[in-house]
Amino acid sequence: ATGSLVSIFVYDVKPGAEEQTQVAKAAFKRLKTLRHPNILAYIDGLETEKCLHVVTEAVTPLGMYLKARVDAGGLKEQELSWGLHQIVKALSFLVNDCNLIHNNVCMAAVFVDRAGEWKLGGLDYMYSAQGNGGGPPRKGIPELEQYDPPELTDNSSRAVREKWSADMWRLGCLIWEVFNGPLPRATALRNPGKIPKSLVPHYCELVGANPKVRPNPARFLQNCQAPGGFMNNRFVETNLFLEEIQIKEPAEKQKFFQELSKSLDSFPEDFCRHKVLPQLLTAFEFGNAGAVVLTPLFKVGKFLSAEEYQQKIIPVVVKMFSSTDRAMRIRLLQQMEQFIQYLDEPTVNTQIFPHVVHGFLDTNPAIREQTVKSMLLLAPKLNEANLNVELMKHFARLQAKDEQGPIRCNTTVCLGKIGSYLSASTRYRVLTSAFSRATKDPFAPSRVAGVLGFAATHNFYSMNDCAHKILPVLCGLTVDPEKSVRDQAFKAIRSFLSKLESVSEDPAQLAEVEKDVHAASSPGMGGAAASWAGWAVTGVSSLTSKFIRAHPMATQAETNVPQRPMPEGHPAPAPTPLSATSTTSDRWETQEDKDTTEDSSTTDRWDDEDWGSLEQEAESVLAQQDDWSTRGQASIAAGQVSPPEHKSPESDWSNWEAEGSWEQGWQEPSSPEPPPEGTRLASEYNWGGPESNDKGDPFAALSVRSSTQPRPESDSWGEDNWEGLETESRQVKAELARKKREDRRREMEAKRAEKKAAKGPMKLGARKLD
């Protein structure tokens, strides 16, 4: 009915074997009425005049199971300890609770289920310890009679034995066979052979000649579980806890699941799949275990086939994404790499992505960070609307307005990684503008990420955009305060120039170079982005937590925005400590020396470029800054974080009016300052050409001395869309207006002071009327 596997035990009724038939019928009756976790579970049965059929849970005889495992490397000692524990526990139940003597404990009476659990069967010769129904039935099988204890043939010692003495002797025989193989004769029991030393003393008690000293099964278990005992190990403790998990306190369950992940690697695969996994699913479904079950759940999930994973794990994962528990959400995002391949696109777009995007708006920086990084895994499965519209809105808002520098950096990083999945129109609108904005970020690793973003997505830009939009932005970074930013900028400039030069030498290459510009989205097109592999998933996570928590003042100083309060009860993850040597000036100078000796010949080929790891770049920036917060505040106060030279043209985004577009929300860290006295305009220089210098200056809009006259039509820059220049002009005007207001205020204060001095001090109680 359920499709579950079963085992069937068959006995054929033969003429003249009435005694054996009665034994079989008695076994059928016992198995049907006895219920215990360590006794073979009866499911169904059929009794006719010609046969007996008994249906039980799916099991394998212990002898066959051990032989199969020997071929695969043998059973571990912890597995054997738990198996024997189960058999002894079943005997204790029979003797102490039911007053029954099993009378047939041997290798043939033990079975193993698919989880590796040992079950006691072979109830054929069971009888009552109280004498009801007569004495023990006769076996009549020599192979079974060799397990009988010696006192059965010695009538003089019958009166002094305990009711469990015979079964405990047979248990000793079973232990000997488990470790040494089939028992040839009873005298072989004197030599323990391969029995572990921690078990030998207790084994000797079982096979002692005096039946009176053989321990009760319950006491035998207690002795073996004592400190240093054979059954005192993590595997047995885990099993015992799982058996009683329904009556454990919530705090005990939480602690157990937290420690379970460390132990799963040493546990048998079958045990993890068939015993641990059902308990984990039950604990999440009904026990309110929460996020702690995720780590062991995904660890066990590695043992499942794709079909089993879809049936057992995925429904739970989808349900978890709708949880409002912050700990649950962040664990899911951190471990998404383990289950993303099992999620189909409709599930991702309709049941998972709508819940994940709430993380972009979370007040906890750690959740915002993990949400950004999870997009690298979800992007290939997102549909057109979710990827090119919804996701881009959130990325635009994060990159422009998030107060955490590392999260703005991660957003730029992730955008560069998923650029190949975007549609051609979205790439054209988003990439250049987003990376240009990143190069103006006061957080140095964000500027590095902007440069690396240009480099990794170089195949998506036309030659026109490379020359008119990208190179001017990169050139501004060649005078960046941070050397790591300058180094990456020079690398990228050389590569773009090399690309432009090759097309200039051979214009026929233009079509080949620009083949990806208008191509449809394809995961295979992100060839250049492969040089970033690893940092968006692994490296940046530790990097971000370092910056957010190890340098909280730095981020606050860089963005000049007050920190959002962290939610109560959800502390941020502990920061990963930075190496002490990474902050020394000696190492920084050594790195600079290495950079200066780099062979420049290797920078001529784009595909050979090693753009480096973002985490390494960011750590280099940290290493150079001995006092991050102090210098960060000082540089912002001086207006040196993002000098006017970093202004870059941005794409026309007028058709994207949604809140949080790439055009909105970006605040300049500092207003442009007028150039020093004596600064010459670009048109005053002789650039080496035959033309005269009387043409209009294309850079005049960047200066305070900007001309209101339109530029001549012959100006080569006239065709470009230099957005942002009007913005700078407005900022200059606003700055002048502010200065006028300040001057006026000071003038008024001076006049008030003069009036006050002329009239003298005011009398007590008098009121001055202006």
Side-chain angles (χ1 to χ4, degrees):
T2 62
S4 302
L5 296 176
V6 296
S7 292
I8 301 178
F9 293 79
V10 180
Y11 173 77
D12 292 324
V13 178
K14 298 178 181 178
E18 287 78 10
E19 186 177 358
Q20 291 297 323
T21 301
Q22 292 302 319
V23 169
K25 290 183 177 181
F28 183 95
K29 180 181 178 181
R30 293 288 189 189
L31 195 60
K32 184 188 293 188
T33 56
L34 282 174
R35 295 288 182 178
H36 190 269
N38 304 126
I39 293 180
L40 191 61
Y42 172 90
I43 296 177
D44 202 354
L46 175 65
E47 183 177 352
T48 67
E49 295 179 356
K50 294 184 178 181
C51 68
L52 286 175
H53 284 193
V54 178
V55 181
T56 70
E57 58 184 318
V59 290
T60 304
L62 179 60
M64 296 174 59
Y65 180 77
L66 291 177
K67 185 177 180 180
R69 291 300 298 267
V70 166
D71 297 338
L75 281 177
K76 296 180 181 178
E77 190 173 298
Q78 62 179 6
E79 297 176 65
L80 294 173
S81 68
W82 174 240
L84 291 173
H85 183 284
Q86 292 174 296
I87 299 304
V88 179
K89 200 169 182 180
L91 286 176
S92 177
F93 167 73
L94 292 175
V95 170
N96 298 317
D97 298 334
C98 304
N99 276 315
L100 293 172
I101 306 300
H102 187 276
N103 197 33
N104 191 28
V105 180
C106 62
M107 187 79 77
V110 180
F111 302 89
V112 184
D113 69 7
R114 59 180 185 171
E117 305 274 88
W118 291 18
K119 307 286 185 174
L120 182 60
L123 310 183
D124 310 45
Y125 306 104
M126 181 178 290
Y127 66 96
S128 174
Q130 298 174 340
N132 301 333
R138 191 177 67 85
K139 296 180 180 178
I141 302 176
E143 290 81 4
L144 296 179
E145 290 178 349
Q146 69 171 341
Y147 299 108
D148 290 341
E151 63 266 17
L152 288 185
T153 58
D154 184 4
N155 295 328
S156 62
S157 60
R158 275 177 175 267
V160 295
R161 70 169 184 256
E162 301 287 353
K163 59 182 179 181
W164 57 78
S165 296
D167 277 347
M168 297 309 285
W169 169 277
R170 296 184 181 99
L171 175 64
C173 298
L174 173 64
I175 292 174
W176 194 95
E177 288 191 319
V178 165
F179 290 100
N180 299 301
L183 180 66
R185 55 192 176 277
T187 56
L189 296 172
R190 298 174 182 173
N191 179 18
K194 299 178 182 178
I195 298 176
K197 292 182 178 179
S198 59
L199 182 58
V200 168
H202 310 297
Y203 160 77
C204 292
E205 291 181 352
L206 299 178
V207 295
N210 185 359
K212 189 71 175 176
V213 299
R214 294 174 197 157
N216 184 291
R219 188 166 69 85
F220 177 82
L221 277 182
Q222 189 175 0
N223 294 339
C224 290
Q225 288 182 271
F230 177 66
M231 298 179 183
N232 182 24
N233 56 59
R234 177 64 180 164
F235 188 60
V236 172
E237 292 172 359
T238 300
N239 277 281
L240 292 175
F241 191 95
L242 288 174
E243 287 184 351
E244 303 173 352
I245 193 170
Q246 304 300 335
I247 60 174
K248 296 292 186 181
E249 295 293 330
E252 294 179 295
K253 294 181 184 179
Q254 293 276 330
K255 182 179 179 182
F256 171 77
F257 286 125
Q258 288 173 350
E259 297 175 351
L260 179 61
S261 296
K262 304 173 186 176
S263 307
L264 286 177
D265 293 329
S266 61
F267 288 173
E269 180 179 327
D270 290 339
F271 168 77
C272 294
R273 291 173 57 194
H274 300 298
K275 187 163 185 181
V276 175
L277 180 59
Q279 292 289 354
L280 291 173
L281 296 177
T282 302
F284 171 74
E285 194 76 22
F286 306 108
N288 298 321
V292 291
V293 303
L294 285 178
T295 302
L297 181 66
F298 292 135
K299 213 164 191 176
V300 175
K302 296 178 181 178
F303 300 131
L304 302 179
S305 64
E307 184 178 355
E308 288 178 309
Y309 204 101
Q310 286 283 352
Q311 293 176 352
K312 298 179 179 180
I313 306 291
I314 293 303
V316 177
V317 169
V318 172
K319 186 176 180 179
M320 287 178 177
F321 270 106
S322 62
S323 171
T324 56
D325 180 10
R326 270 195 171 94
M328 174 80 74
R329 286 162 53 194
I330 199 166
R331 291 277 183 89
L332 281 170
L333 295 174
Q334 288 171 339
Q335 304 189 49
M336 185 178 290
E337 193 172 9
Q338 301 188 30
F339 59 84
I340 186 66
Q341 67 267 29
Y342 301 106
L343 296 173
D344 55 24
E345 293 186 9
T347 302
V348 170
N349 285 284
T350 60
Q351 300 182 58
I352 292 181
F353 182 75
H355 296 295
V356 172
V357 292
H358 294 313
F360 290 124
L361 305 172
D362 201 285
T363 56
N364 190 330
I367 292 183
R368 298 203 302 275
E369 173 208 13
Q370 291 296 336
T371 304
V372 169
K373 291 188 297 177
S374 69
M375 292 302 113
L376 180 61
L377 300 170
L378 290 177
K381 298 179 181 288
L382 293 180
N383 57 29
E384 177 79 13
N386 284 336
L387 177 63
N388 293 287
V389 180
E390 188 68 21
L391 180 59
M392 291 301 103
K393 290 179 182 178
H394 288 290
F395 270 20
R397 185 185 52 77
L398 284 176
Q399 194 196 38
K401 298 180 179 180
D402 198 283
E403 71 268 19
Q404 298 290 349
I407 293 179
R408 300 195 302 273
C409 172
N410 279 353
T411 304
T412 305
V413 167
C414 190
L415 185 62
K417 298 281 282 185
I418 67 174
S420 60
Y421 301 110
L422 301 176
S423 65
S425 59
T426 303
R427 288 198 303 264
Y428 177 77
R429 297 197 321 269
V430 170
L431 295 184
T432 304
S433 181
F435 296 144
S436 297
R437 175 183 288 122
T439 61
K440 299 177 288 186
D441 197 297
F443 189 58
S446 291
R447 301 199 293 277
V448 174
V451 178
L452 293 175
F454 278 129
T457 56
H458 68 95
N459 53 318
F460 298 130
Y461 307 118
S462 65
M463 293 297 97
N464 227 13
D465 287 345
C466 291
H468 293 167
K469 296 182 180 180
I470 298 175
L471 278 175
V473 174
L474 295 177
C475 288
L477 295 178
T478 57
V479 292
D480 193 274
E482 301 296 340
K483 187 176 186 302
S484 59
V485 180
R486 299 195 299 272
D487 291 344
Q488 293 298 338
F490 281 120
K491 281 185 179 182
I493 289 171
R494 285 193 291 267
S495 296
F496 276 107
L497 286 177
S498 175
K499 193 175 180 180
L500 288 167
E501 187 176 2
S502 65
V503 174
S504 176
E505 295 293 332
D506 184 9
Q509 295 182 9
L510 181 62
E512 176 65 21
V513 171
E514 294 186 351
K515 66 179 181 179
D516 293 338
V517 174
H518 301 292
S521 61
S522 169
M525 291 166 56
S531 61
W532 290 15
W535 52 257
V537 177
T538 56
V540 183
S541 61
S542 60
L543 174 67
T544 303
S545 60
K546 290 176 193 174
F547 287 150
I548 290 177
R549 285 169 286 280
H551 302 277
M553 290 301 297
T555 308
Q556 193 169 2
E558 290 150 4
T559 58
N560 200 21
V561 175
Q563 294 280 349
R564 293 181 182 175
M566 294 287 288
E568 294 183 3
H570 297 278
T576 307
L578 284 170
S579 172
T581 58
S582 66
T583 59
T584 61
S585 59
D586 296 337
R587 178 172 174 179
W588 179 249
E589 293 168 0
T590 304
Q591 183 65 31
E592 288 189 356
D593 294 340
K594 285 179 62 179
D595 292 338
T596 56
T597 58
E598 183 179 359
D599 185 7
S600 61
S601 64
T602 62
T603 61
D604 296 331
R605 297 182 60 192
W606 180 278
D607 294 332
D608 293 341
E609 286 291 346
D610 179 14
W611 297 103
S613 166
L614 178 65
E615 183 164 5
Q616 294 172 356
E617 295 296 337
E619 289 183 353
S620 298
V621 174
L622 282 179
Q624 190 185 31
Q625 298 178 345
D626 296 327
D627 187 356
W628 183 284
S629 59
T630 304
R631 292 187 54 182
Q633 293 170 349
S635 61
I636 289 178
Q640 297 173 354
V641 175
S642 181
E645 289 83 1
H646 292 180
K647 280 301 284 186
S648 61
E650 296 184 1
S651 304
D652 182 10
W653 283 50
S654 58
N655 58 338
W656 198 357
E657 299 176 356
E659 179 183 359
S661 68
W662 298 98
E663 286 285 346
Q664 299 173 354
W666 178 260
Q667 301 294 332
E668 288 294 333
S670 60
S671 58
E673 299 177 0
E677 290 296 328
T679 303
R680 299 170 60 190
L681 297 179
S683 58
E684 299 177 17
Y685 287 92
N686 182 4
W687 295 92
E691 296 86 350
S692 61
N693 290 334
D694 58 354
K695 292 185 178 182
D697 179 22
F699 299 93
L702 296 176
S703 171
V704 176
R705 294 169 291 182
S706 57
S707 173
T708 58
Q709 299 297 327
R711 289 184 292 176
E713 293 182 359
S714 60
D715 188 358
S716 61
W717 294 98
E719 298 175 359
D720 291 332
N721 180 17
W722 280 81
E723 300 177 14
L725 302 184
E726 295 180 3
T727 303
E728 289 197 7
S729 299
R730 288 196 297 269
Q731 291 177 342
V732 170
K733 293 177 181 179
E735 181 68 17
L736 293 176
R738 185 184 65 79
K739 290 181 178 179
K740 288 181 179 180
R741 288 195 299 270
E742 289 291 326
D743 294 341
R744 176 64 177 166
R745 184 180 60 79
R746 286 193 292 269
E747 183 179 345
M748 294 297 295
E749 288 179 353
K751 289 182 178 180
R752 291 193 187 101
E754 291 176 1
K755 291 180 181 180
K756 184 176 180 180
K759 294 180 180 180
M762 296 176 60
K763 295 182 180 180
L764 185 62
R767 183 177 181 185
K768 180 180 178 182
L769 299 175
D770 291 334

